[in-house]
Amino acid sequence: MQIEKTAAGVRAQVKAWKKEGLSVGLVPTMGYLHEGHKSLIDRAVEENDRVVVSIFVNPIQFGPTEDLETYPRDLEADRKLCEQAGASLIFAPEASEMYSEDFSTFVDAGKVTEELCGKSRPTHFRGVCTVVNKLFNIVAPDRAYFGQKDAQQLAVIRRMVRDLNMDLEIIGCPIIREEDGLAKSSRNTYLSDEERKAALVLSKAIFAAKAMAEGGEKDGDKILETMKNIIKKAEPLARIDYVEMVRWDTIEIHHTIDGPTLIAIAVFIGKTRLIDNVLLQ
C-alpha cells in the first residue's frame, strides 16, 4: 500500500496513471475507517482503475469547542483496511502540507449550507468545501465517493462541483448500519456502553419516519413530531440538536413530501453529537 504525505507525490503518481489511460477514484475521509468507509472504497475500486483514499483530519472544519484534538486516529489500521479493499494509494498529509501559515482562501457554498448542521456548526461547511476542493485539485479524480450518512455534505459537494464547473462525477453511497440499526460513525467510539444503547434512538426515529412516509403520510409536521416524541420520551440521555425535513436538492426547510425529500436529525448522546437521515425519493 503506497502512502504519500505530499501533494506533489500524489500528483506525480496520478499523472503516471493517467498517462497509461487509467481512471482514478477518490474517497475523501478523516480516517479511523470503518465498514461505512470500506463500502465507499469498494464502490470506487469497482468503478475505477486506481483509487486514492485521503486520510486527513481537517482542522478548518472543526469549531473552537469541537473534538479536533480528540478525534480518533489509527493510520496503521486504516492502511490495512485500504489495502484489503483494494485501494491503490493513501494520501495522508500533515496540516502544514494542506495549509500554509498565511492561508487565506476559502470556498463557501452559500445557502445550501445554512440549515441542518450548518445552523449549529456555522463554519463547518466552509472548511469541508475548502479541503475537498483542494483534494480535487491535488488528485484530479474522475469520480469521488461520499456517504449518504453525511447527506448535507453530499448535497453541498454536489452543488460546489456544479457551480464551479468541476470535471468529475460525485457518487453518493448508502448508509451502512450496525446490526442493531445504528449508523456507523467514527464518533461511535466515544460512546459508553450505556450511551451506545441510548444512541439507537436515532435510527428508531428515522425508521419510524420512513415507515410513515411509505405508508402515505405527506405531512412533515406530523412525521417530525412523531420523531421528536420518540427521542424525548424514549431516551433521557438524548438531547436534540435538530429534527428537520428539507428539499433534497436545495436543503431548504419544507414540510410536505412532494418530491425528493431528506429527513435528517442530529442528537447529542451525552457529549457526543450523532447524525442520521433518510432520503425519500
Side-chain angles (χ1 to χ4, degrees):
M1 170 56 60
Q2 183 178 354
I3 299 179
E4 287 287 349
K5 294 284 189 177
T6 69
V10 174
R11 283 196 176 107
Q13 180 60 81
V14 171
K15 185 177 180 180
W17 288 336
K18 294 205 168 186
K19 193 173 182 180
E20 297 177 48
L22 303 176
S23 61
V24 177
L26 170 66
V27 181
T29 83
M30 293 206 300
Y32 212 71
L33 306 181
H34 51 66
E35 287 298 314
H37 298 108
K38 185 176 180 298
S39 71
L40 304 182
I41 300 170
D42 288 342
R43 177 84 177 269
V45 168
E46 288 177 8
E47 297 179 352
N48 302 274
D49 299 312
R50 298 290 185 268
V51 171
V52 176
V53 178
S54 64
I55 295 176
F56 179 58
V57 181
N58 176 34
I60 68 169
Q61 70 187 64
F62 287 78
T65 62
E66 294 180 348
D67 57 339
L68 173 61
E69 297 304 323
T70 60
Y71 193 86
R73 296 161 169 86
D74 190 341
L75 183 58
E76 178 56 24
D78 292 345
R79 183 195 65 77
K80 290 179 181 178
L81 185 148
C82 289
E83 191 168 47
Q84 291 167 0
S88 311
L89 182 151
I90 291 173
F91 178 39
E94 298 294 333
S96 58
E97 176 68 12
M98 297 296 281
Y99 303 111
S100 59
E101 288 186 6
D102 60 348
F103 184 86
S104 62
T105 303
F106 298 88
V107 179
D108 190 334
K111 194 170 183 180
V112 73
T113 71
E114 293 174 0
E115 298 294 344
L116 306 182
C117 289
K119 185 171 287 187
S120 56
R121 305 180 71 190
T123 63
H124 173 69
F125 287 114
R126 186 178 79 156
V128 169
C129 287
T130 301
V131 76
V132 170
N133 198 313
K134 288 171 71 69
L135 290 170
F136 290 170
N137 287 333
I138 292 165
V139 180
D142 298 285
R143 302 173 188 86
Y145 296 78
F146 295 85
Q148 179 68 44
K149 186 180 78 68
D150 296 296
Q152 186 176 16
Q153 174 178 274
L154 175 58
V156 167
I157 296 302
R158 282 179 169 158
R159 177 64 63 88
M160 179 183 76
V161 166
R162 186 202 74 179
D163 288 355
L164 299 183
N165 302 102
M166 295 181 175
D167 186 20
L168 77 159
E169 184 180 4
I170 301 301
I171 309 294
C173 299
I175 296 173
I176 304 299
R177 298 183 180 275
E178 305 283 0
E179 289 186 8
D180 58 9
L182 182 66
K184 285 183 178 286
S185 169
S186 300
R187 288 188 169 95
N188 290 348
T189 59
Y190 296 159
L191 302 171
S192 67
D193 290 344
E194 183 182 12
E195 289 170 341
R196 174 62 180 75
K197 294 176 183 176
L200 293 177
V201 75
L202 278 85
S203 54
K204 288 178 182 176
I206 287 294
F207 295 158
K210 185 172 185 287
M212 290 179 71
E214 290 178 345
E217 182 60 69
K218 302 291 186 184
D219 188 333
D221 290 329
K222 290 182 180 179
I223 294 174
L224 297 180
E225 189 61 30
T226 298
M227 296 174 71
K228 290 174 184 177
N229 286 336
I230 289 172
I231 296 167
K232 291 176 180 177
K233 294 179 180 179
E235 190 41 67
L237 291 178
R239 176 170 60 87
I240 293 174
D241 182 1
Y242 65 77
V243 177
E244 290 288 4
M245 178 181 292
V246 297
R247 292 189 185 277
W248 172 227
D249 55 344
T250 62
I251 313 296
E252 293 176 308
I253 300 297
H254 186 67
H255 286 183
T256 302
I257 300 176
D258 57 3
T261 300
L262 178 72
I263 299 175
I265 62 177
V267 177
F268 285 92
I269 303 295
K271 294 181 179 180
T272 304
R273 183 179 181 275
L274 301 176
I275 60 175
D276 204 343
N277 67 79
V278 60
L279 178 59
L280 307 171
Q281 295 287 1

